Amino acid sequence: MKDLPPLACCSPLAREPLDDQRSAELSRVFKALGDPVRLRILSIVAAHENGEACVCDLTAAFTLSQPTISHHLKVLKEVGLLTSERRASWVYYRLVPQTLIDLSGLLAAPEQVNR
Amino acid sequence: MKDLPPLACCSPLAREPLDDQRSAELSRVFKALGDPVRLRILSIVAAHENGEACVCDLTAAFTLSQPTISHHLKVLKEVGLLTSERRASWVYYRLVPQTLIDLSGLLAAPEQVNR
DNA sequence: CATTGATATCGATTGATCTCGATAAGGACG
DNA sequence: CGTCCTTATCGAGATCAATCGATATCAATG
C-alpha cells in the first residue's frame, strides 16, 4: 500500500496567502488573545451564566485592579471578541461567536479538527 | 413555535475554564500569532512548495533585516508553531499542523465552522 | 440634587518587544 | 585550511504594553 500523497495545503492560512493589510488586521485579534488575563476573561465570560458577565464578576476573579480589568475588556472589545451592554449600573460582556469561528477556521479546516 | 434555548456553551473555551497555568501556556502561542510579520511568515511557509521554506525565501519576502526574520522564526518555533531542519547550508521551516489544529479547536467547535 | 456604587478614562511607571548593525557559528567548496 | 554563503546570536535603541492610583462618568436612589 502506497503512502498517501501529502496534503497540498494543511492550513487555510496557505489558501489565502496573507497580504500586508490582512495580516495586520488578524494580528490585532491574535495579539488580544496573547495575554493570559484576557484569555481567562474570555473563558470566564463564556462559562458564565447566560454567557455573559459583568465587570464586577471579572474583577472578583482576579487580583488585578478594576482599571486594569477595564483596560483588558476594552482591548477585547476593540478587536471584536467581546460586546458589551449596559443595564442599569452594570455593564455586561459577552463573546462574539463569529469572531472566534472565523479565527478558528483560519487556523485549521474543520475536517482536520476531529474530536 | 418557541425559541430554541440558548446554547449552554458557544466555545470550547467555556468547557474548560482556563486556569492560570493553561491560560499562560496558550497566551504564549497566541502572542506569537499576534504580529503581522509572523502571521505572514506562517502563511508563506504554508503556501510554499512542499510546505516548507528556507530562511532565504522569507528574507526575500520582506524588507526586514535577516536577523529580524531569524528572531521571528525563533519565536514561532519556541511556541511550537514551526519546526526547522537543516539541510546543507540551508534551514527549512514548516508548520506544525497539530498546534494549529489544537488552537482552532479551542476557539470554536468543528460543527460551528461550516463552510 | 447630593450621595453612593459601578465602570471608564487618564497619566505615569515599569517591563517587554521589535528592529537593527555587528558578529559568531555552521557548512560547502576550492 | 581559508573563503564564501547561509543562518543564528548579541547588544542597543526605540517603541509599545501592562499595571496602578487618581479621577471622571453614569445610573440608581434617597
Side-chain angles (χ1 to χ4, degrees):
Chain A
M1 178 174 171
K2 302 183 105 171
D3 286 340
L4 292 172
L7 282 173
C9 163
C10 56
S11 166
L13 265 177
R15 261 176 244 150
E16 33 168 344
L18 302 175
D19 62 23
D20 250 341
Q21 194 188 340
R22 183 108 179 87
S23 59
E25 293 166 6
L26 282 170
S27 67
R28 288 181 59 242
V29 187
F30 283 121
K31 187 177 289 184
L33 294 171
D35 180 283
V37 174
R38 289 195 288 265
L39 273 187
R40 285 193 59 208
I41 287 177
L42 288 182
S43 162
I44 292 170
V45 168
H48 210 262
E49 194 180 6
N50 296 322
E52 65 180 14
C54 72
V55 181
C56 58
D57 295 323
L58 295 165
T59 51
F62 295 89
T63 54
L64 298 168
S65 71
Q66 177 269 322
T68 297
I69 300 297
S70 197
H71 161 70
H72 286 305
L73 289 168
K74 186 180 182 180
V75 171
L76 290 168
K77 193 174 162 182
E78 280 173 347
V79 300
L81 283 165
L82 289 180
T83 51
S84 68
E85 180 194 356
R86 173 152 230 151
R87 295 207 295 276
S89 286
W90 294 270
V91 177
Y92 293 88
Y93 284 83
R94 42 175 70 244
L95 295 190
V96 179
Q98 194 58 50
T99 304
L100 295 169
I101 292 169
D102 290 348
L103 285 187
S104 176
L106 178 82
L107 295 176
E111 60 270 21
Q112 295 180 286
V113 188
N114 309 315
R115 289 172 309 162
Chain B
M1 177 175 171
K2 300 183 103 172
D3 286 342
L4 292 171
L7 282 173
C9 164
C10 58
S11 166
L13 264 178
R15 260 177 245 149
E16 34 170 342
L18 303 174
D19 62 24
D20 250 341
Q21 194 188 340
R22 182 110 180 87
S23 59
E25 293 166 8
L26 282 170
S27 67
R28 288 181 60 242
V29 187
F30 283 122
K31 187 179 290 184
L33 293 171
D35 180 282
V37 174
R38 289 196 286 267
L39 273 187
R40 284 193 59 207
I41 287 177
L42 288 182
S43 163
I44 291 170
V45 168
H48 211 263
E49 193 180 7
N50 297 321
E52 65 180 14
C54 72
V55 181
C56 57
D57 294 325
L58 296 164
T59 51
F62 295 89
T63 54
L64 297 168
S65 72
Q66 178 269 320
T68 297
I69 300 297
S70 197
H71 161 70
H72 286 306
L73 288 169
K74 185 180 183 179
V75 171
L76 290 167
K77 194 174 160 182
E78 281 174 347
V79 300
L81 284 165
L82 289 180
T83 52
S84 67
E85 181 193 355
R86 171 151 232 152
R87 294 205 296 276
S89 286
W90 292 268
V91 177
Y92 293 87
Y93 283 83
R94 46 174 68 244
L95 294 191
V96 179
Q98 194 58 52
T99 304
L100 295 168
I101 291 170
D102 290 347
L103 285 186
S104 175
L106 178 82
L107 295 176
E111 61 270 19
Q112 295 180 285
V113 188
N114 308 316
R115 288 172 312 165

